[in-house]
Amino acid sequence: MIRLENISKQNGHQILYIEASATLQRGEKAGLVGPNGAGKSTLFRMMTGQDAPDEGNVSIDRGTTIGYFSQDVGEMAGRSAVAEVMDGAGNVSEVAAELRALETDMADPDKLDQIEALIERYGEVQGRFEELGGYALEGKAREVLAGLSFSQEMMDGDVGKLSGGWKMRVALARILLMKPDVMLLDEPSNHLDLESLIWLENFLKAYDGALMMTSHDREFMNRIVNKIVEIDGGSLTTYSGDYGFYEQQRALSEKQQQAQFERQQAMLAKEIKFIERFKARASHAAQVQSRVKKLEKIERVEPPRRRQSVTFDFPPTPRSGDDVASLAHVKKAYGSRTIYEGLDLTIRRRERWCVMGVNGAGKSTLLKLIAGDTSPDSGSVQIGAAVKMGYFAQHAMDLLDGEHTVFETLEHAFPTAGQGALRTLAGCFGFSGDDIEKRCRVLSGGEKARLVMALMLFDPPNFLVLDEPTNHLDMATKEMLIAALREFEGTMLFVSHDRHFLAELSNRVLEVTPDGVHQYGGGYLEYVARTGQEAPGLHS
C-alpha cells in the first residue's frame, strides 16, 4: 500500500536517510523503532505527503486513505469533544456538513425558489449519509471516547477546557473513528492510563487496515505489531515478528557481525605482518605485491554500531527502620468527593508497592499524603525512623530553573560533588556531550523527567515514591531505570501505566476502587493471575 524506495533525506546538517527502502502492506501492523532524533516523525510526514524525500520515491496505492496521529494536535476550542471527533471522520463528516448546509438553505425564505432542487439534493445526500453509517456516527464517537476514559460530561463539554493530554486523546479518537485504510500513529500510548491503553490495544488488534506506529511502551508494541521497521544509521531494516523477536534478532546479528569483524581483523593483521616483514626482500617481491593487491580488493567488514547504553548504579542506601510508612484511619476528600475513608496501610522495608486504580481513583493523592504534599482530613500518616524519602511527581518538572543548564542544575543541587561524578550522572540519564549545556527551558518533557530523576537518585533515598516515572521516557532510558531499580536496596511506592515496569519491580499491589482499597501480596503478575484483569477498571 505504501512503498518507500531508495529515499534519502537531510535535515540541516543531519543526514536522516541514505537510499533507505521499506514497505507497508495491507493488513500489516508495523512498529517503527530507532533512537530519538533518528527521523521517525519525518518518515511519517513523508508517508502523508507533508514532507518529501530529497531523493527516491514514496508511492501510495491509488485511493488509499491515511489517518495520521502526531503529538502536535493543534488548536481545539468552541465545540464538544464528540463534535471534534466526528468532524475528522473522513467522507462521512463532509457529507454531514453538506446535510447541515442544505437544512439551513431549506429554512431560508430567500431560497424558496430553489426549494425543489434543495429537497432533491437533500434526499441524495441523506441517502449517502445513511450508506456511510452517518446516523450511527455519534454513537461510535462516544464509544471510542468512552474507551479512552472520557466521562459523558467531558464528551459534551467544551474541548478547549481540556488539558493537553486529554486533547491528545480527542485527536487520537478522531483517527480511530475515521478507520482509514492506513493508520500512522506517533506515540499513541503517551498520556493514556492503563485502562485506556488496554482498550486501545484491543481496538488496534481488531483493526483490519495497515498500521505503523511508534511507542515507548514495549508491552503495548509487543501485543500489536507483526513486524518492526528499524531506523539505524540512515537505513531502514525490516524484521518479521514482534518487538521481543526484533531485540533477539538484532542482538544475534550484532554478535555475528562482531565475530565476522574480528575474524577479518585477525586475517588482515596476519597479511600486514607478512607484508611488513618481507617488503624489503627482493626474493619475496612477487608474493608481497600479490598480497597487497589482495588486501586492496577485500571488502571491509564494519564493526556493529554500538548503541549508546548507559547503566546507573545506586550508591549504597542508608538502612531505614522496618516500618517505613503507616497510615491509620485516613480520610481525604475534595469538596463533596471522598477519596479515602478510614484507610489503613503499613509499608515495610524493602516492600515495593504498585498502586492501581482508574483515573481519579486517588492514586496520586495517596502518594501526596505519604510524601507530605497534602494532609489527611482526619487520621494520621507516620513516616518511620531513619527514612529518607525521594518523591518524583509530575509537577517536579515545572520547578526546574529554566535559565540554568543541565550541568548547573546538578552542580547547584550537589555543590560538593566532583565534576567527573556529575558528568557521569548526566551521561547515565542521557545527557552526553553538549546536551549538558542545554538550558532547562528548552528541554523536552522526556529530558526534564530524566533530569529530575537524576537529581533524586544521585544521593539516594531509601524510600522512593514515584508518580508515573516512565512518562516521557524512551525505551532505552526506561530499561536503564528498571535495571537500576531492580538493584535498589530500599522501599518503593509507585504509580505507573507501564506493564513491563509494573511486572519487573512490584512485590505488592494496592488496588484503589470505588468500593474500597484492596491489598494483594505478590507483584503485578500475581495480581493479574488472581483477578483475571490487567487493570482495576477492566472487570472481566
Side-chain angles (χ1 to χ4, degrees):
M1 296 183 89
I2 300 181
R3 285 168 298 285
L4 305 159
E5 294 157 334
N6 297 318
I7 59 165
S8 295
K9 181 73 178 173
Q10 191 166 341
N11 269 356
H13 295 300
Q14 191 191 7
I15 295 170
L16 296 176
Y17 299 103
I18 307 159
E19 295 185 355
S21 298
T23 59
L24 184 64
Q25 307 286 6
R26 194 175 302 281
E28 278 185 333
K29 294 187 167 79
L32 181 63
V33 302
N36 281 346
K40 297 190 285 287
S41 299
T42 303
L43 194 74
F44 281 148
R45 286 198 300 275
M46 287 195 282
M47 291 166 95
T48 55
Q50 294 171 23
D51 209 337
D54 299 335
E55 290 171 25
N57 292 309
V58 177
S59 54
I60 298 164
D61 289 354
R62 191 187 295 276
T64 300
T65 54
I66 297 176
Y68 172 41
F69 169 75
S70 78
Q71 295 294 302
D72 181 15
V73 297
E75 280 304 305
M76 288 184 195
R79 52 181 171 180
S80 70
V82 171
E84 193 71 47
V85 169
M86 286 166 66
D87 191 49
N91 289 346
V92 70
S93 63
E94 290 160 27
V95 176
E98 192 179 347
L99 266 186
R100 285 195 298 273
L102 286 165
E103 282 164 6
T104 306
D105 288 350
M106 288 191 297
D108 185 345
D110 294 342
K111 295 191 176 172
L112 273 175
D113 55 333
Q114 302 169 35
I115 197 74
E116 278 184 33
L118 287 170
I119 290 169
E120 190 180 335
R121 179 63 187 153
Y122 188 79
E124 289 166 11
V125 176
Q126 198 174 30
R128 177 75 181 128
F129 188 63
E130 218 165 296
E131 207 178 284
L132 289 168
Y135 289 108
L137 193 65
E138 185 175 336
K140 284 181 188 163
R142 287 182 182 276
E143 204 179 299
V144 170
L145 285 168
L148 295 174
S149 300
F150 279 75
S151 64
Q152 292 299 326
E153 199 181 331
M154 288 167 79
M155 290 182 203
D156 294 319
D158 182 350
V159 72
K161 292 188 177 145
L162 297 175
S163 69
W166 285 99
K167 283 179 180 170
M168 288 267 188
R169 296 188 195 205
V170 171
L172 178 60
R174 197 190 280 163
I175 305 294
L176 301 181
L177 183 68
M178 180 184 169
K179 281 216 170 168
D181 301 320
V182 177
M183 274 194 219
L184 304 175
L185 305 180
D186 197 359
E187 293 294 344
S189 51
N190 273 7
H191 305 285
L192 295 186
D193 54 87
L194 192 48
E195 285 77 13
S196 304
L197 196 63
I198 292 165
W199 177 87
L200 178 60
E201 193 175 276
N202 292 327
F203 183 98
L204 293 176
K205 277 192 216 165
Y207 166 64
D208 55 9
L211 167 72
M212 185 177 272
M213 69 171 188
T214 63
S215 175
H216 289 153
D217 187 320
R218 61 182 296 141
E219 193 62 39
F220 178 71
M221 177 108 68
N222 252 343
R223 295 182 187 204
I224 294 166
V225 305
N226 50 29
K227 87 172 192 180
I228 294 284
V229 176
E230 180 196 50
I231 307 172
D232 189 19
S235 62
L236 293 168
T237 310
T238 301
Y239 296 79
S240 295
D242 63 12
Y243 186 80
F245 178 76
Y246 149 75
E247 278 191 312
Q248 288 170 3
Q249 288 299 109
R250 188 188 161 88
L252 185 65
S253 67
E254 275 187 1
K255 201 174 166 185
Q256 288 168 342
Q257 193 177 341
Q258 183 65 31
Q260 214 179 336
F261 172 72
E262 284 169 9
R263 277 198 303 274
Q264 191 182 65
Q265 289 300 305
M267 182 273 288
L268 292 173
K270 200 173 163 185
E271 293 294 313
I272 290 164
K273 193 176 173 187
F274 179 90
I275 292 163
E276 288 299 314
R277 189 175 166 196
F278 295 111
K279 67 181 176 187
R281 294 191 195 175
S283 58
H284 285 74
Q287 275 177 291
V288 168
Q289 275 307 105
S290 139
R291 292 195 181 201
V292 168
K293 281 179 183 165
K294 182 181 154 189
L295 283 190
E296 283 169 358
K297 285 179 188 167
I298 286 174
E299 195 175 322
R300 302 296 162 109
V301 175
E302 291 293 320
R305 262 189 296 272
R306 291 272 171 245
R307 280 288 169 89
Q308 199 183 9
S309 60
V310 286
T311 55
F312 176 76
D313 295 321
F314 272 97
T317 51
R319 186 189 157 123
S320 70
D322 285 342
D323 284 354
V324 173
S326 305
L327 285 77
H329 314 304
V330 164
K331 179 181 180 181
K332 183 68 185 174
Y334 291 110
S336 60
R337 206 167 133 254
T338 300
I339 308 287
Y340 293 109
E341 180 85 70
L343 172 64
D344 294 314
L345 173 68
T346 302
I347 296 170
R348 294 192 169 82
R349 192 173 75 86
R350 298 201 69 174
E351 288 181 340
R352 294 157 173 248
W353 287 88
C354 70
V355 185
M356 313 279 297
V358 298
N359 255 345
K363 303 186 294 291
S364 293
T365 299
L366 177 66
L367 270 55
K368 283 176 185 170
L369 284 163
I370 288 173
D373 246 21
T374 191
S375 305
D377 301 335
S378 61
S380 67
V381 178
Q382 297 287 332
I383 300 302
V387 169
K388 182 184 172 194
M389 190 189 302
Y391 176 39
F392 178 87
Q394 294 303 306
H395 66 74
M397 295 188 277
D398 304 330
L399 303 178
L400 294 168
D401 185 328
E403 290 311 307
H404 279 171
T405 64
V406 168
F407 194 71
E408 284 167 353
T409 304
L410 295 173
E411 255 185 336
H412 185 70
F414 309 111
T416 59
Q419 288 224 349
L422 293 183
R423 282 180 188 279
T424 304
L425 173 70
C428 284
F429 285 89
F431 298 104
S432 55
D434 295 341
D435 287 345
I436 62 169
E437 297 307 326
K438 279 185 180 174
R439 294 203 185 280
C440 289
R441 61 181 153 75
V442 303
L443 297 180
S444 67
E447 287 170 325
K448 283 181 180 171
R450 296 202 307 266
L451 180 54
V452 170
M453 201 80 70
L455 288 167
M456 187 177 68
L457 299 181
F458 182 63
D459 179 18
N462 51 28
F463 180 31
L464 289 175
V465 178
L466 310 173
D467 194 358
E468 294 286 6
T470 60
N471 270 7
H472 308 293
L473 297 187
D474 60 28
M475 279 205 207
T477 311
K478 225 182 257 190
E479 286 302 324
M480 180 277 287
L481 186 62
I482 288 170
L485 291 175
R486 270 199 218 106
E487 303 303 313
F488 175 61
E489 294 281 306
T491 308
M492 283 171 65
L493 174 73
F494 61 92
V495 173
S496 175
H497 64 247
D498 188 296
R499 285 161 291 178
H500 180 51
F501 191 88
L502 292 169
E504 288 290 326
L505 296 172
S506 59
N507 60 22
R508 298 281 187 284
V509 175
L510 190 76
E511 184 190 55
V512 184
T513 69
D515 59 342
V517 173
H518 310 288
Q519 300 182 21
Y520 295 86
Y524 175 70
L525 293 178
E526 288 88 341
Y527 163 82
V528 173
R530 280 178 66 181
T531 61
Q533 67 203 25
E534 290 191 293
L538 300 171
H539 294 287
S540 46

